[in-house]
């Protein structure tokens, strides 16, 4: 496979893989800023949305779109997934304008927040975009598809960590009518494309009875430009595999049986999705970003509070949630491994490490 | 309406369009571009009408791609709650105003094969921005625009000269009526119908379309978000022994935070349930604006969501 960009990693961006030899790991700094999702010792589905405002410099909440040390490697991984299966990126014909909205949002945010890496110069609709880490220098005409090598959504999401889906709003619901989905926790864009909010959420247990989706949808239909919101989701992944798709389940599903007490700390990852929702200006669509962070159990337990809490959450999780997230079978092994890091001491409120 | 980023603008231009209608142009105060928007969007204009805070929604009529300024048209309604009278008599060039970001509850369905638009009076304004949007991105439309008489048919001449046969004008005082039943029958499959105008017209168009077998998803009508009032009120916090005054621009949650009361929250938008607070005494009306409490709970009045909900009346005592 040939890449259509020439990465310039510098000192910050790592050369690592999310497949085959799986050389991915987090630096000590990346572990400290890992978005640990549990603010208490138990977990249940809820309408866990908060304003997506910049908080805690250095944390994943500082920027509109977090760019971290895994950026270049993740973009190479995405290019490989797309080369094997182009249907991971789809956009129904009426979603092109939303794609331009997304391109504008990402380019403007990144050029403003990371001037050392990205730059955007505009002269009317003549735009000039520079992405230094990926070695891209592109002049194009905003809103003219013929001036870019891909459609606008595909162009910009090949340069942005995390999956993206674009929702058209009509008939009192949101419709997943476009997306770039290559780092998903076992769901398929090709299957979900064209579905509405209630339809694509149908497989989720417990949350429907708790009215989570009714309230979340009502909230999202009122989402305003300039006031994005964010939430967390999480699951478990064996090996640092970004692309856990139903389409490739036969390749990665069986690795779930490879865990032992000796290799679990290294192979088992907590997979956290930082999801943000943006109302887009020209299309009135809603962009949903799903940024996956992988943390090895052995990395997470270096923060004592997280070791204690992860043990308690996984031990006491509702069996339907463990089954839905696909770790029901490995739950006892995880709990056994994590128990060594739980001395029973109380944990402080909130998600951040102590001191 | 607390929450939601606001835009600080200056009134750049006020134009008398006809005896009833004035057009206002807003530009950003710092000279930066305003956000682009989608055709059919409205903004909520905040007015300080001699101490009374008014929040009025107005459709944006300017080109959605023009980020140098926003334009609205306001019809003077002497019998209304006062917002339009304030706009007509007090808003002048150079004045500073605060407006919401554009919101769209009247968006074009971009999958439509054709857009059929029915406008009554000042209801023409959202169509003006939609027609400009269609001009940029393609899309067929047909407009039927009815007004009381030629003198108040705002923007009719410009529309007619720009779009010819696609624009049809009707004047009540000349006995002209939109031949709706006939217009509806000759539309190609995949047409979407949009109506904006007085209530009577809305009902007539929706009824006629339903009778002609149009699916409800293909019929769109403007529904403004009723912006909540922002009257000042106070609340006693029994547990912390404090009384807070909630300003017009503040939410009850923000007022508690400003008073140093540790109040839980997450979404700040009435959906997550975190801020749920028990009401100990309520001598007045709770203005529930959340989607967390069930309608029964809202009616019962034992709980309030301080991130969005307000109060009007004499005394409110909360368990906080
Ligand atoms: C428009 C934005 C959203 C999109 C595109 C989206 C998409 C999805 C998808 C594709 C799934 C996987 C379903 C499957 O198993 O096939 C999912 C799961 C889920 N979603 Fe959403 N979602 C959105 C917003 C939300 C919001 C706002 C909430 C709640 C506040 C929510 C709560 C959940 C939950 C609880 C799950 C189960 C996740 C798990 O346990 O791993 N979603 N969502
Ligand atoms: S903070 Fe979420 S409902 Fe009030």
């Amino acid at each position: 496979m040939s890449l259509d960009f020439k990465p310039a990693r510098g000192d910050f961006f790592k050369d690592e893989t999310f497949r085959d030899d799986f050389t991915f790991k987090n630096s000590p700094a990346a572990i400290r800023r890992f978005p640990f999702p549990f603010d208490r010792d138990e977990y249940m589905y809820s309408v866990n949305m908060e304003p997506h405002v910049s908080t805690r410099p250095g944390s994943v909440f500082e920027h509109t779109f977090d760019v971290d040390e895994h950026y270049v490697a993740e973009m190479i991984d995405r290019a490989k997934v797309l080369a094997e299966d182009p249907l991971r990126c789809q956009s129904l014909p009426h979603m092109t304008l939303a794609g331009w909205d997304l391109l504008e949002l990402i380019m403007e945010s990144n050029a403003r927040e990371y001037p050392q890496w990205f730059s955007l110069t505009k002269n009317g609709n003549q735009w000039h975009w520079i992405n230094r880490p990926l070695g891209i220098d592109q002049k194009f005409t905003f809103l003219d598809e013929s001036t870019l090598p891909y459609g606008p959504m595909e162009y910009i999401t090949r340069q942005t960590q995390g999956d993206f889906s674009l929702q058209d709003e009509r008939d009192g619901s949101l419709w997943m009518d476009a997306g770039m989905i290559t780092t998903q926790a076992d769901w398929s864009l090709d299957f979900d494309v064209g579905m509405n909010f209630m339809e694509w959420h149908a497989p989720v247990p417990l949350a429907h009875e708790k009215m989570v989706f009714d309230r979340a949808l009502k909230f999202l239909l009122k989402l305003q430009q300039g006031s994005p919101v964010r939430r967390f989701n999480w699951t478990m992944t064996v090996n640092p595999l970004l692309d856990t798709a139903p389409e490739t389940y036969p390749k990665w599903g069986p690795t779930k049986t490879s865990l032992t007490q000796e290799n679990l700390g290294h192979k088992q990852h907590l997979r956290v999705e930082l999801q943000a929702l943006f109302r887009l200006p020209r299309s009135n669509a809603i962009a949903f970003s799903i940024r996956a962070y992988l943390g090895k159990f052995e990395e997470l337990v270096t923060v004592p509070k997280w070791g204690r809490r992860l043990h308690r959450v996984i031990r006491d999780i509702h069996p339907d949630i463990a089954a839905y997230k696909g770790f029901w079978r490995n739950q006892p092994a995880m709990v056994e491994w994590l128990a060594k890091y739980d001395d029973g001491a109380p944990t402080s409120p909130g998600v951040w490490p102590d001191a | 309406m607390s929450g939601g980023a606001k835009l600080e603008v200056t009134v750049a231009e006020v134009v008398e369009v006809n005896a009833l209608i004035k057009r206002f142009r807003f530009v950003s105060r710092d000279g930066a571009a305003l956000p682009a928007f989608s055709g059919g969007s409205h903004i909520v204009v905040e007015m300080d009408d001699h101490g009374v805070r008014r929040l009025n929604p107005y459709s944006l009529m300017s080109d959605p791609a023009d980020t140098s300024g926003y334009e609205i048209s306001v019809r003077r309604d002497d019998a209304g709650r006062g917002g339009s009278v304030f706009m007509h008599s007090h808003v002048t060039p150079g004045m500073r105003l605060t407006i919401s970001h554009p919101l769209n509850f009247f968006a074009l369905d971009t999958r439509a094969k054709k857009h059929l638009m029915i406008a009554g009076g000042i209801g023409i304004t959202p169509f003006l921005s939609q027609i400009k949007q269609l001009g940029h991105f393609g899309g067929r439309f047909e407009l039927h625009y009815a007004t009381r008489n030629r003198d108040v048919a705002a923007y009719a001449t410009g529309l007619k000269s720009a779009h010819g046969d696609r624009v049809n004008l009707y004047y009540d005082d000349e006995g002209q009526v939109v031949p709706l039943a006939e217009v509806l029958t000759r539309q190609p499959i995949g047409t979407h119908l949009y109506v904006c105008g007085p209530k009577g017209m809305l009902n007539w168009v929706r009824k006629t379309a339903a009778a002609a077998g149009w699916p409800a998803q293909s019929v769109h009508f403007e529904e403004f978000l009723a912006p909540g009032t922002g009257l000042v009120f106070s609340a006693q916090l029994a547990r912390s022994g404090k009384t807070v005054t909630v300003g017009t621009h503040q939410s009850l949650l923000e007022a508690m935070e400003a008073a140093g009361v540790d109040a839980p929250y997450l979404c700040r938008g009435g959906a997550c349930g975190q801020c749920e607070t028990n009401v100990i005494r309520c001598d007045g009306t709770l203005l529930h604006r959340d989607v967390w409490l069930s309608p029964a709970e809202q009616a019962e009045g034992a709980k309030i969501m301080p991130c969005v909900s307000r109060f009007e009346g004499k005394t409110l005592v909360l368990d906080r």
Side-chain angles (χ1 to χ4, degrees):
Chain A
M1 200 214 60
S2 70
L3 289 176
D4 55 4
F5 53 89
K6 296 186 190 55
R9 285 194 184 82
D11 296 334
F12 181 69
F13 298 109
K14 297 171 69 177
D15 186 0
E16 60 189 355
T17 56
F18 299 90
R19 53 177 69 214
D20 308 323
D21 56 349
F22 293 118
T23 60
F24 162 91
K25 63 181 170 60
N26 288 299
S27 68
I31 297 173
R32 292 292 295 181
R33 76 194 291 282
F34 188 82
F36 190 75
F38 305 114
D39 63 349
R40 62 197 73 181
D41 291 355
E42 61 197 12
Y43 176 80
M44 179 38 76
Y45 292 138
S46 65
V47 187
N48 56 337
M49 285 189 275
E50 63 175 352
H52 185 36
V53 290
S54 177
T55 44
R56 291 187 84 105
S59 79
V60 300
F61 295 147
E62 181 178 0
H63 299 105
T64 312
F65 300 98
D66 184 42
V67 178
D68 69 6
E69 62 187 24
H70 308 298
Y71 175 50
V72 174
E74 287 190 26
M75 293 302 96
I76 293 173
D77 197 66
R78 166 158 295 163
K80 289 181 179 168
V81 174
L82 289 169
E84 283 164 19
D85 184 359
L87 290 180
R88 302 301 189 81
C89 178
Q90 299 189 36
S91 177
L92 299 184
H94 61 282
M95 297 305 282
T96 307
L97 187 57
W100 285 111
D101 276 332
L102 181 68
L103 174 142
E104 178 183 45
L105 174 68
I106 295 177
M107 286 188 177
E108 285 192 339
S109 307
N110 283 358
R112 184 177 61 240
E113 297 172 19
Y114 305 96
Q116 71 278 32
W117 293 328
F118 306 102
S119 112
L120 178 66
T121 350
K122 294 182 185 175
N123 179 6
N125 277 353
Q126 303 305 309
W127 290 22
H128 183 189
W129 166 247
I130 298 174
N131 177 335
R132 290 184 194 92
L134 296 188
I136 291 172
D137 186 312
Q138 178 83 42
K139 294 192 169 120
F140 65 100
T141 308
F142 185 64
L143 300 177
D144 180 354
E145 274 192 278
S146 69
T147 60
L148 282 178
Y150 306 100
M153 176 192 72
E154 178 168 0
Y155 179 77
I156 196 59
T157 55
R158 278 176 178 268
Q159 303 178 41
T160 314
Q161 282 169 283
D163 283 347
F164 284 83
S165 67
L166 298 177
Q167 282 63 231
D168 192 24
E169 177 173 331
R170 54 178 197 270
D171 312 340
S173 192
L174 297 172
W175 303 77
M176 194 191 289
D177 285 347
M180 166 66 89
I181 308 291
T182 68
T183 67
Q184 67 287 63
D186 201 8
W187 65 276
S188 162
L189 173 69
D190 193 39
F191 183 73
D192 283 2
V193 75
M195 285 190 186
N196 70 31
F197 193 84
M198 290 304 172
E199 289 168 347
W200 79 63
H201 278 126
V204 182
L206 304 169
H208 292 271
E209 298 93 277
K210 294 181 185 298
M211 305 289 285
V212 165
F213 294 121
D214 300 80
R215 291 183 176 123
L217 178 60
K218 280 188 191 147
F219 180 88
L220 291 182
L221 292 176
K222 288 197 288 189
L223 186 68
Q224 290 188 32
Q225 274 191 54
S227 307
V229 295
R230 66 181 168 229
R231 64 181 295 268
F232 278 134
N233 186 39
W234 63 276
T235 189
M236 290 290 175
T237 305
V238 175
N239 289 329
L241 197 61
L242 282 175
D243 176 30
T244 51
E247 286 90 341
T248 51
Y249 188 84
K251 277 205 244 165
W252 57 269
T255 61
K256 290 195 207 178
T257 60
S258 66
L259 291 185
T260 63
Q261 286 304 304
E262 288 65 48
N263 69 18
L264 196 145
H266 186 68
K267 281 180 91 120
Q268 181 62 55
H269 295 72
L270 174 64
R271 179 191 193 102
V272 177
E273 294 175 350
L274 172 56
Q275 308 176 336
L277 293 132
F278 304 84
R279 174 72 71 179
L280 298 175
R282 292 173 178 75
S283 58
N284 199 41
I286 288 184
F288 185 59
S289 67
I290 313 153
R291 171 67 184 283
Y293 295 84
L294 294 167
K296 297 176 189 297
F297 272 25
E298 67 188 13
E299 293 172 340
L300 299 175
V301 298
T302 61
V303 176
K305 171 177 164 182
W306 293 353
R308 292 185 185 109
R309 183 166 287 170
L310 189 58
H311 172 245
R312 295 168 200 177
V313 168
I314 300 306
R315 182 191 62 201
D316 302 336
I317 194 91
H318 193 292
D320 292 357
I321 296 184
Y324 172 73
K325 292 181 187 286
F327 67 87
W328 177 78
R329 216 157 67 141
N330 287 333
Q331 184 189 11
M334 292 179 191
V335 173
E336 183 186 338
W337 191 91
L338 287 165
K340 301 188 293 256
Y341 300 92
D342 187 358
D343 55 7
T347 52
S348 58
V351 297
W352 309 103
D354 296 319
Chain B
M1 210 179 38
S2 118
K6 300 279 159 54
L7 299 169
E8 302 297 329
V9 297
T10 306
V11 180
E13 199 182 41
V14 181
V15 176
E16 201 159 325
V17 179
N18 58 41
L20 287 177
I21 296 171
K22 275 189 180 179
R23 182 174 71 236
F24 301 82
R25 182 175 176 84
F26 305 134
V27 296
S28 77
R29 247 175 249 174
D30 57 6
L34 290 168
F37 62 95
S38 50
S41 294
H42 69 271
I43 50 171
V44 177
V45 179
E46 297 190 4
M47 298 167 225
D48 179 3
D49 184 358
H50 307 94
V52 180
R53 183 179 182 227
R54 301 191 188 283
L55 297 168
N56 276 37
Y58 295 107
S59 295
L60 290 168
M61 53 170 286
S62 44
D63 186 342
D66 176 9
T67 55
S68 68
Y70 290 160
E71 287 177 14
I72 62 170
S73 280
V74 179
R75 182 188 188 280
R76 188 184 174 105
D77 179 4
D78 291 308
R81 278 178 43 234
S84 70
V85 173
F86 179 84
M87 290 295 293
H88 270 251
S89 39
H90 295 286
V91 176
T92 51
M95 192 167 157
R96 294 163 162 231
L97 286 175
T98 302
I99 63 176
S100 72
H101 273 255
L103 297 133
N104 201 342
F105 297 129
F106 193 52
L108 291 171
D109 189 319
T110 46
R111 300 164 315 155
K113 296 277 178 300
K114 179 178 167 186
H115 306 277
L116 175 62
M117 304 165 169
I118 315 282
I122 193 67
I124 189 64
T125 49
F127 295 121
L128 294 171
S129 66
Q130 290 182 336
I131 288 171
K132 282 170 194 139
Q133 175 172 328
L134 292 172
H136 295 301
F137 303 109
R140 286 167 67 197
F141 78 91
E142 176 181 320
L143 170 72
H144 297 265
Y145 175 24
T147 57
R148 209 180 296 163
N149 57 50
R150 281 172 196 273
D151 295 337
V152 296
Y155 312 112
T157 335
L159 281 166
K160 189 78 195 160
S161 64
H163 304 287
D165 285 352
R166 294 197 276 176
V167 172
N168 305 271
L169 305 171
Y170 308 86
Y171 306 110
D172 297 351
D173 69 347
E174 298 178 27
Q176 296 163 340
V177 182
V178 182
L180 188 61
E182 184 253 311
V183 168
L184 290 178
T185 47
R186 62 173 162 73
Q187 299 306 320
I189 289 186
T191 301
H192 278 243
L193 170 64
Y194 305 81
V195 53
C196 184
K199 233 194 174 85
M201 176 185 232
L202 247 61
N203 294 339
W204 171 60
V205 173
R206 292 176 62 199
K207 251 217 239 99
T208 313
W214 283 61
Q217 311 91 271
S218 305
V219 181
H220 309 266
F221 47 97
E222 170 82 279
E223 279 176 303
F224 283 126
L225 176 78
T229 58
L231 297 180
V232 177
F233 67 96
S234 46
Q236 299 170 29
L237 308 177
R239 240 186 296 162
S240 30
K242 292 182 177 169
T243 297
V244 293
T245 304
V246 185
T248 55
H249 291 261
Q250 239 181 350
S251 66
L252 174 53
L253 176 64
E254 286 164 348
M256 294 200 267
E257 288 169 340
V261 176
D262 189 19
Y265 69 88
L266 190 63
C267 69
R268 304 182 88 91
C272 73
Q274 290 294 318
C275 68
E276 188 179 284
T277 302
N278 291 324
V279 175
I280 297 173
R281 228 185 99 208
C282 169
D283 183 0
T285 316
L286 298 174
L287 305 172
H288 294 289
R289 307 229 171 94
D290 61 281
V291 298
W292 172 258
L293 299 173
S294 67
E297 285 173 312
Q298 293 191 344
E300 193 193 338
K303 290 171 181 164
I304 185 170
M305 310 307 289
C307 62
V308 288
S309 298
R310 303 183 75 88
F311 168 75
E312 272 176 17
K314 252 173 88 184
T315 320
L316 178 66
V317 186
L318 300 176
D319 181 18
R320 190 60 86 196

